[in-house]
Amino acid sequence: MRLALLIRSVIFNTVIIKIAADFPLENPCLQTCSNSDSDITATTLQTCIDKCLPNGHCCGNRLNGECPASSNQRLSCANGCEIAFYRSTVDQCKQDCQAGNVQECFYSHPNIAKDFNKCGSCSNNFNNCTSWPTLDACSQGCDLAATIPEFYQYVEVPPGSCDHDNIPRFLFGGQSNMEGKPEDALPNSFIELIRIVNKKKEKKKVKRQLKKLLIQAKASEKQTTSNEASLIYKMRKYLKKEKMYNDHPTSSCSFTNPKQSDELDCERPISSTACGANHDQYGPEFMFGHVFPKLNSPLKGQAIGIAKIAVGGTEIYSDWMKDNKDNSDNYWNALVDTIQGAKGSLEAFVWFQGENDSFADWNKENYLPNLTKFVADVRQEIVNESIKNESIKFQSPADVPVIIVECGRWIWGVDTAVIEAQRAFVAADSNAVLVPTGAGDEIKEQLTKMYHYDIAAQLIIGKRIAEAMAQILNDNENV
């Protein structure tokens, strides 16, 4: 079982749980997610929840909005019912409940798209509840589901098999801004942004409405809001409602957060809620998946995949580097599993991290050598897996393209050491490109100073990564 260690983040003033997940895996694979047509409905889930209620369990149905979150960092009886739909045996369901009751706010289930939130206030908001979920509430949901024919019909993937599409993939890694938490700055604003961009009005009026929306975000400023509005307006050809509101037809993604799950996430079509934080927001992969296939590159027009692994509040040396892979709170093994799960299909590596390294003197002073060693090790793993799968796309680790996404304005105002190290790394590496995110003193280039990029900034950064990727792949093609 995984061991949880409760620590407090000095940066975000939030509780972070670091977990030694069960990585490395025996046979890592980026499986294709089950078809959404076979997903549980709110009505089916309710048939099981109706059995929970007489047994003293009062957390309701999260699929109909009745009770979006459980509480007390525990899975509810209703959560156990939902898990039971995506397992074939009661024992498997109860094992998931045990894993999900580790002290943390979110639990990622390998077969369920949306993470379980366990830090809400269900007991206060539904059915006159007066108590939190008990430790065995989820397991009781597993037992109750066994009495209903629609549950435990899920077909598990046979051990040792790997069923996924043979497509080019990109490895995305980093911390919270790679996860993607744009709703932190301005909740429930994505649909409104897309609605404004799609209005058939003159440029000045559309930009004015964009600015009116974005100025409401946390840490917003007049100049940066204007910058973001102008950039979003220029991107409008990529932001059509029918594309933004629906699954992408050919681009897919997976998002593994090894702090919340001990298995690799499965691959699903890219959408605004597919692969962001807690699988209900988006990170840079969202706009990357929409833009990159349209750009001139050796992969233009092809279906693509993004294999993303990210954990918020992490430092490169202690949390990610191979040198510390045996530490309980290090995610190197999970990163390698993600690489191996792609089965030799990776084309490049994108790294978006550094904020948490911008405080302690040792981390700042050693970020450049740590980043250099870390990228070298990642490149080596990608080459190893490429060779293992009989691919000849890379002759050496240096052939693996790398994109470093620069820390932005918030960190620029705290300390510039990590940003300078990122720039120095790219300057010294002929097969690396830097993606700017608004760091620096040039006000017309600045984006939000919120520590979590807002809805507009995440779209802008995703597009910039796509353009940088096309550039570096074209350069390599012409060598």
Side-chain angles (χ1 to χ4, degrees), residues 150-172:
E150 289 86 354
F151 291 78
Y152 295 113
Q153 301 301 309
Y154 192 83
V155 179
E156 302 282 349
V157 177
S161 67
C162 188
D163 177 23
H164 69 183
D165 295 331
N166 183 23
I167 57 175
R169 291 177 174 82
F170 301 90
L171 178 64
F172 279 39

Side-chain angles (χ1 to χ4, degrees), residues 446-460:
Q446 294 173 350
L447 303 179
T448 175
K449 66 176 181 180
M450 175 69 174
Y451 52 81
H452 288 153
Y453 290 99
D454 61 27
I455 53 169
Q458 277 285 5
L459 298 175
I460 293 163

